[in-house]
Structure formats: C-alpha cells, structure tokens
C-alpha cells in the first residue's frame, strides 16, 4: 500500500488495527485512529539533517505537523535567522514528509500546543534545545510522557555549513581530513571551554540505506510527463524550491528527474570553493523535496541524446540563471533545443546560492557569537547533568554501604 508516496508495510497495517492484505479495505471499526505527531524548530538554513529528522518523525505515525518559529522568537532565543519566516515556512512545506505546517509556533513546546493540534506526541532529535535562560524547551512534554526522540544526522549542522562558506576551502568536496579545514571548523563550532557534541562539526558518511530512505522508489507511470532539470542545487534553498515547483506545474502528471553534477564539475563552472555541499549531501537535499521523483547522481554536463533517450525525457527545463558552456565551449542544451523540448522557466525568485553565502558573510560576527553562546549553554547543561549523575552515584554508593 502506498500512502503519500510512501510504502506501508503489512506490520504497519496490523499496528493500525488492520490485518487484511495490502489493497484490501478494512472496516472502519477495525481501523485505529490516525497517529498525529508534532515537530517544531527554527528550520533556518534547512539542510538534509532537518529533512532526515522529519522523515524519522513521520515514520513514527501517520500525520506530521511541523511548527516553525517566527523571526522575532528566534532572535530572542538564539540570534537573528538567515532566512525570513516566510522563506522558512515555504522551505518546510516543500519537504515531502510534512503534512501540515503551523506558522509562528511557540518556542517552548507545551502540552497546550500538542492538544490544540490533536497531536499524540512531539518528536525531536537527540540533541538539546534551550531557551534564552538555559531551560530545556521540551521539559513539560517529557514530564508527561509525550516526547519521542529520533537520531540526529551525523556530519551536518548549520554551524558546519556556515564554516565552509566562511573558510572558502574545498576540503569538504571529497573528504574532511584536511587539517587546516578541521582546525578552522573546530574553532568555529567551539565556545571558550571546549566542544559541545551538539553544535560541533563531524563528518557525514553516505550510505545506500540513507539514499533508499530518502528516495520515493516510484517508477514513471504511463501518461507521466518526464521532465529533466540539471544543475548543482547547492545549499538547497528557497530559490530551488520555487523553480522545482514551477517545473512540477509544467505538466498534469509530472515525473521530475534532477541531474546533479559532480563536485569537480560544479567547481569548474562556479569557481571559488563551490559546491558548499558535496554530491552526497546535495543528493539527499534534492530527494527530500516533494516535487522531485528521481535524482541522477553525477549527471553529464551536456544534456545529450543518450540521456534524453535513456530516461525517455519529454521536456528539459532550465531557470533564468546563466548557462555556462561545456568544456569544449558548446551549449549543454543544444540537443533538447534541436528537438524542441527545451523550456526556460521563470520561477519569479532570483535568489541564488551566492546570495545566501553573501547573507552569511555579512552576518559572520553575529553567527560566530551566536554559536559560541549556544555552545556555552549546552556545555553548562552537560556539566550539570554530569554533576547530577555523580551525586546520584555517590548517594547509591553511600546507601549500599549502610
């Protein structure tokens, strides 16, 4: 059974109170009520780590509601966000595991909020979120047993991405063994007293399992219009979302394939230290978008005859951004143009990855201060937790001695 593009196993059907085979209707009295879950956050600079948290949350129930905080709330507790609340709302809506979003959700998750939206539990990653005065924002729901945890995605954090932009190094393209890069990222994600395990930097390791979890697994169906787009899709952002949404609207039954260029290819035409995200990270970022059906990892730069014939492409689209020539100075879109299947899409949004990097650089000092402040709070909590643990151990030892 497929629900919202996701497969539901027979185990899940049984959990829902239905033991009949997939494709067979269950009587209403047999069907258990829908499990509604709540996630919330800033979702500033949304990356595949956020998407993976929402994917895991959705797997814990049937209907996922995501609360997104306002600019004002984030500024009060963490410092100013890079993206406006309108941009952040739109980014979260584009993640395929999200069923509904709540704009202007409160920073502290209360039972009142969960009840208001009929949510059974709230789900958060296994890191800690603190208010401006250092309190755990999930304290109340944890106390009432309505808190569920999912694994934080190793190897990605906003801190790390900001560090890559500011450092202008290329170490992240293939690996992060480069000592110079590691030293600087360590400094960037470090408060005055060492590292917090939540804000620091670690390496992302791609696995086939992760790609399978993110992929839709759907083949094109008869009558689908197969639309191909290609590019870097670096630091997957609202400009990309608006473009892909417009591409998706080009047909009644669209099947959108995104061709992603390898890091070296992107660096050839973009220069500097682009891409900021390597091919593995960009793959997951694009797969998480609800308008995308399939991704070609390491697509050829020229959209040639073989590629068009192989995927049975009906339409090739490109945005209003500049088209760089191929290595031999030829037009990468010559073949689709010749076939009359090339279309330029105006999404009405001219935001580029360059613009985002610019926003970060302009706010560099605020970001460094924000990260150090956040890390100092996290370290204080860890130390308090350790002290509490130590006191409990000492008490237990003293009691057993009597």
């Amino acid at each position: 059974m497929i629900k919202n593009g996701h497969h539901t196993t027979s185990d899940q059907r049984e959990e829902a109170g239905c033991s009949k085979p997939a494709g067979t209707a269950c009587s209403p009295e047999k069907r258990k009520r829908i499990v509604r879950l709540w996630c919330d956050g800033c979702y500033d600079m949304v990356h595949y780590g956020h998407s993976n948290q929402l994917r895991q949350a959705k797997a814990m129930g049937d209907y996922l509601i995501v609360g997104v905080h306002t600019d004002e709330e984030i500024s009060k507790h963490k410092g100013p966000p890079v993206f406006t609340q309108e941009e952040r709302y739109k980014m979260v809506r584009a993640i395929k595991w999200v069923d509904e979003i709540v704009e202007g959700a409160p920073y502290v998750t209360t039972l009142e909020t969960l009840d208001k939206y009929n949510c059974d539990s709230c789900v958060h990653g296994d890191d800690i979120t603190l208010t401006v005065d250092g309190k755990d924002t999930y304290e109340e729901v944890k106390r009432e047993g309505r808190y569920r945890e999912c694994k934080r995605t190793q190897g990605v954090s906003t801190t790390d991405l900001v560090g890559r932009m500011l450092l202008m190094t290329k170490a992240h393209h293939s690996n992060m063994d480069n000592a110079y890069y590691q030293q600087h990222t360590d400094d960037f994600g470090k408060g005055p007293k060492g590292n917090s395990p939540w804000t620091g930097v670690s390496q992302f390791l791609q696995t086939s399992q992760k790609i399978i979890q993110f992929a839709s697994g759907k083949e094109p169906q008869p009558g689908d219009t197969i639309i191909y787009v290609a590019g870097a899709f670096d630091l997957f952002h609202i400009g990309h979302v608006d473009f892909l949404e417009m591409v998706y609207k080009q047909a009644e039954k669209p099947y959108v394939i995104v061709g992603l260029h390898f890091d070296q290819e992107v660096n050839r035409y973009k220069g500097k230290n682009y891409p900021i995200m390597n091919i593995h990270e960009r793959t997951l970022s694009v797969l998480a978008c609800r308008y995308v059906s399939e991704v070609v990892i390491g697509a050829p730069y020229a959209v040639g005859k073989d590629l068009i014939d192989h995927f049975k492409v009906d339409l090739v689209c490109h945005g209003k951004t500049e088209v760089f020539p191929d290595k031999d100075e030829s037009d990468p879109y010559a073949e689709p143009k010749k076939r009359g299947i090339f279309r330029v899409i105006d999404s009405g949004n001219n935001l580029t990855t360059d613009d985002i990097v610019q926003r970060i650089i302009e706010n560099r000092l605020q970001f460094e201060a924000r990260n150090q402040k956040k890390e100092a709070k996290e370290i204080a909590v860890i130390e308090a937790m350790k002290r509490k643990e130590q006191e409990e151990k000492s008490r237990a030892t003293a009691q057993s001695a009597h």
Side-chain angles (χ1 to χ4, degrees):
M1 183 169 93
I2 294 180
K3 189 182 128 223
N4 194 20
H6 307 292
H7 293 274
T8 306
T9 63
S10 53
D11 290 354
Q12 287 169 312
R13 284 171 64 81
E14 277 170 35
E15 276 172 31
C18 175
S19 56
K20 289 192 181 181
T24 317
C26 280
S27 58
E29 61 273 16
K30 267 278 194 186
R31 235 184 260 127
K32 220 163 100 179
R33 62 183 189 81
I34 286 169
V35 174
R36 291 163 65 93
L37 295 163
W38 171 272
C39 279
D40 55 27
C42 305
Y43 300 100
D44 192 23
M45 278 185 66
V46 170
H47 49 67
Y48 60 93
H50 295 119
S51 303
N52 194 37
Q53 181 225 354
L54 297 173
R55 178 191 67 77
Q56 291 179 77
K58 177 65 180 260
M60 293 178 184
D62 307 292
Y63 193 86
L64 178 63
I65 302 176
V66 180
V68 184
H69 311 315
T70 61
D71 296 345
E72 193 184 346
E73 277 280 86
I74 297 168
S75 297
K76 182 178 143 193
H77 293 277
K78 281 175 88 168
V82 185
F83 289 96
T84 67
Q85 57 202 42
E86 293 308 322
E87 289 172 322
R88 293 182 291 107
Y89 298 153
K90 201 166 196 178
M91 275 304 286
V92 176
R93 270 196 190 96
I95 295 171
K96 64 183 176 185
W97 298 287
V98 176
D99 294 297
E100 189 185 319
I101 85 149
V102 171
E103 299 180 357
Y107 199 81
V108 175
T109 311
T110 60
L111 293 169
E112 189 189 343
T113 303
L114 295 189
D115 291 341
K116 183 180 176 181
Y117 296 99
N118 298 320
C119 290
D120 300 73
S121 312
C122 83
V123 184
H124 189 66
D126 54 0
D127 56 344
I128 196 161
T129 310
L130 306 168
T131 62
V132 67
D133 48 6
K135 287 197 174 74
D136 180 354
T137 55
Y138 294 97
E139 197 177 332
E140 188 184 321
V141 289
K142 280 179 179 174
R143 206 172 43 237
E144 295 299 318
R146 287 172 72 180
Y147 175 85
R148 298 176 77 174
E149 212 162 71
C150 60
K151 297 297 289 176
R152 191 178 170 277
T153 309
Q154 285 302 307
V156 66
S157 65
T158 305
T159 312
D160 178 27
L161 295 173
V162 169
R164 295 184 203 181
M165 289 177 228
L166 298 176
L167 293 168
M168 300 304 284
T169 63
K170 296 183 196 176
H172 57 276
H173 286 186
S174 45
N175 59 52
M176 282 166 59
D177 293 340
N178 179 299
Y180 170 81
Y181 173 75
Q182 199 58 55
Q183 180 56 46
H184 279 73
T185 45
D186 285 352
D187 291 346
F188 186 78
K190 193 180 276 186
K193 292 181 184 168
N195 275 67
S196 153
W198 300 309
T199 301
V201 175
S202 62
Q203 187 177 355
F204 169 68
L205 299 170
Q206 181 71 287
T207 62
S208 56
Q209 185 57 31
K210 186 63 67 210
I211 294 175
I212 289 164
Q213 288 167 345
F214 271 60
S216 73
K218 288 187 290 186
E219 297 277 327
Q221 298 303 305
D224 283 359
T225 300
I226 297 171
I227 309 174
Y228 182 79
V229 300
F233 291 89
D234 191 16
L235 278 182
F236 194 75
H237 55 71
I238 194 69
H240 297 133
V241 166
D242 282 340
F243 167 68
L244 289 168
E245 185 180 8
M246 282 299 285
V247 167
Y248 188 83
K249 287 176 176 172
Q250 298 304 301
E252 208 174 306
K253 289 177 67 189
Y255 186 92
V256 179
I257 301 175
V258 176
L260 288 178
H261 302 140
F262 276 134
D263 299 344
Q264 291 74 8
E265 188 72 79
V266 175
N267 192 250
R268 177 185 70 81
Y269 63 83
K270 287 280 290 176
K272 297 181 187 168
N273 70 328
Y274 289 113
I276 304 294
M277 280 186 163
N278 66 41
I279 185 70
H280 305 305
E281 299 173 305
R282 292 184 286 121
T283 298
L284 296 184
S285 301
V286 173
L287 280 173
C289 179
R290 65 171 70 248
Y291 307 117
V292 176
S293 301
E294 182 63 290
V295 167
V296 180
I297 304 166
Y301 190 68
V303 182
K305 182 182 182 302
D306 291 351
L307 186 144
I308 294 170
D309 293 345
H310 177 79
F311 291 109
K312 298 181 173 60
V313 175
D314 298 302
L315 186 62
V316 176
C317 296
H318 187 81
K320 301 285 271 188
T321 54
E322 185 186 350
V323 176
F324 297 93
D326 205 348
K327 293 184 195 74
D328 60 1
E329 296 303 310
S330 64
D331 177 1
Y333 292 109
E335 182 65 24
K337 283 176 182 174
K338 193 175 89 181
R339 295 188 187 202
I341 59 167
F342 181 74
R343 194 176 292 174
V344 173
I345 303 291
D346 184 0
S347 67
N349 186 338
N350 56 7
L351 185 77
T352 66
T353 303
D354 282 327
D355 297 332
I356 290 164
V357 173
Q358 228 23 67
R359 283 192 198 186
I360 300 287
I361 288 168
E362 281 162 16
N363 294 302
R364 174 185 182 148
L365 295 173
Q366 279 177 316
F367 270 103
E368 288 181 340
R370 179 173 117 176
N371 279 326
Q372 290 191 358
K373 203 164 84 180
K374 182 174 176 241
E375 188 142 40
K377 276 200 296 187
E378 287 170 357
I379 288 166
V381 168
I382 291 163
E383 283 170 359
M385 281 157 77
K386 278 181 185 164
R387 275 199 304 275
K388 197 174 166 190
E389 207 177 305
Q390 212 50 56
E391 284 164 15
E392 281 168 5
K393 270 185 190 166
S394 303
R395 263 202 304 274
T397 309
Q399 280 169 354
S400 62
H402 287 306

